[in-house]
Amino acid sequence: MDCLQDWPEPIVPVQSLEGGQVVPAQYIKPPPERPVLDRDVEPDWGPCVPVIDLGSLQGGEAGRRAIGSACKEWGFFQVVNHGVSHELMARVRELWREFFYLPMEEKKAYANSPVSFEGYGSRLGVQKGAILDWGDYYFLNFLPEMVKNHSKWPASPTLLRDTIEEYGAQVIKLCHLLLKEISISLEVEEDFLHKALGGGGVGACMRANFYPRCPQPDLTLGLSPHSDPGALTVLLPDDRVEGLQVRKGEEWFTIYPIPNAFIVNIGDQIQVLTNGNYKSVEHRVIVNSAKERLSLAFFYNPKDDILIEPAQEFVAPNKPPLYKKMAYKDYKLFIRSLGPRGKLL
Ligand code: OGA
Ligand code: NI
């Protein structure tokens, strides 16, 4: 597709706008899409996404029910006792911060294009004149090995590449554990999701998101509402400021990260495989005027050419398949051309 070869307009890193007194017009959302921010109010500790202690599940009935209801009601949960080193989480976050603090020219050497999205970027979606989000990112491929290319990862700070390798390997292990526990919660074989996503040949990629401080956070969003197109997302949130909001009904709920926890969410492909039983839920990011925010999203995806459709276990005469069969790579291209645009399934 021609339209995907390059960005429709010159790219302006949001970080280069930091310090301005007003948000430029191209970032101002129409009034109904603007967030309602009331920072004088204490956090609302009311309904919030459930917390799952992975260390104490061990296939037990209570854990199974907790995961099942989180995936049905929120599509999101936080995990503790997840097996990933806390020290490594802090280290990878700090190195990414250092990357975003590099001089602009150094970062621009990695400028991405919509062909693969790999590299340093500031927009998703290729529609000319689209309203943009208040965030920059760095996107890179981690799996399959064949598409991993260290030369497309930042060379600076020097420890970043090795640390991403170490971090990615531990998060992949966590994804395998999560897929097993989610399968068990669905009352199917424990390797059900692993197999349905393509077994050994799965994909994984990472997006480091950097949301600079914003002079008028009530007019814009760090990341517009979207659901994640892949199978499972493991998010390492900022440890100093919140920003991720999850939709439930007509309301948006802020997630207040627990120290050293990950935020996990179900992606579109698990919604399709389970025929809508488990939900891939819309989420967005709000920004703020006092603090920048860094998050690291790790996406675990099906094998590129695998066909995903509702599995027979979730289809019955009174529960017809809700989604059409589609190769993951075609779905990914479709979503990428649109950019974050609410929920499409
Ligand atoms: C994403 C995402 C949330 C965040 O990268 O898909 O939803 O908190 N990120 O940055
Ligand atoms: Ni997302």
Side-chain angles (χ1 to χ4, degrees), residues 234-298:
V234 173
L235 184 91
L236 176 61
D238 199 290
D239 53 341
R240 302 170 190 167
V241 59
E242 65 283 346
L244 176 60
Q245 295 191 321
V246 182
R247 185 177 184 141
K248 194 164 170 56
E250 293 306 305
E251 275 188 89
W252 292 96
F253 291 92
T254 299
I255 299 187
Y256 296 94
I258 296 176
N260 299 313
F262 283 107
I263 300 170
V264 175
N265 67 285
I266 297 292
D268 293 349
Q269 306 307 315
I270 291 185
Q271 177 170 328
V272 171
L273 282 168
T274 64
N275 203 20
N277 209 342
Y278 282 6
K279 303 281 185 310
S280 170
V281 170
E282 235 181 301
H283 49 287
R284 69 180 189 184
V285 173
I286 55 171
V287 287
N288 90 63
S289 56
K291 289 179 184 166
E292 66 195 23
R293 179 170 177 271
L294 180 118
S295 72
L296 192 52
F298 192 95

Side-chain angles (χ1 to χ4, degrees), residues 207 209 211 223 226 228 235 244 283 285 293 295 297 299:
R207 188 163 66 217
N209 298 296
Y211 307 100
L223 186 53
H226 66 283
D228 293 346
L235 184 91
L244 176 60
H283 49 287
V285 173
R293 179 170 177 271
S295 72
F299 304 104

Side-chain angles (χ1 to χ4, degrees), residues 34 42 72 75 113 130 149 167 188 192 206 215 253 315 327 330:
R34 293 179 195 166
E42 282 293 299
K72 282 182 189 151
S113 87
N149 183 350
Y167 177 77
V188 292
F192 167 80
M206 242 188 240
F253 291 92
V315 172
D330 296 333

